[in-house]
Amino acid sequence: GCSREAQSEAPAERDVPVTVHVYDIGNGGPGSLLNHILEPFGTGAFHCGVEVHGREWSYSDISDATNATMTGVFSCTPKSCRGHAYKQSIEM
């Protein structure tokens, strides 16, 4: 039910910057070329990571994982995801 007693305040929320980093699939070459061709049509093949609190978080397929506890979620230094060519950042 309802109560008129003083209730504890929720902790103050802080704005935390969130940035999406966009990469062409692969390290240049075919992925970048494909995206260059498809960009005028508003499409392409991309990898994205979300930066929050100074780390970039992404997901990658782990179909060959031998450890059943692996999730596919990983972090890296922002704008430096191994295996992909950095393209742009979008502030959220």
Side-chain angles (χ1 to χ4, degrees):
C2 296
S3 173
R4 293 185 185 267
E5 295 177 27
Q7 296 181 6
S8 63
E9 294 288 324
E13 292 185 23
R14 297 183 314 167
D15 288 338
V16 176
V18 176
T19 306
V20 175
H21 299 297
V22 182
Y23 299 82
D24 287 328
I25 294 291
N27 284 322
S32 293
L33 177 60
L34 174 65
N35 286 342
H36 180 73
I37 293 167
L38 294 175
E39 189 171 20
F41 302 102
T43 189
F46 304 100
H47 171 80
C48 296
V50 177
E51 179 184 349
V52 62
H53 295 292
R55 293 296 293 170
E56 181 177 323
W57 296 88
S58 300
Y59 174 81
S60 181
D61 177 31
I62 57 166
S63 59
D64 62 343
T66 56
N67 182 343
T69 63
M70 294 179 72
T71 65
V73 176
F74 65 96
S75 70
C76 66
T77 302
K79 301 181 188 176
S80 64
C81 186
R82 187 175 48 183
H84 303 293
Y86 173 76
K87 183 173 181 71
Q88 67 180 8
S89 295
I90 302 166
E91 300 288 326
M92 301 306 288

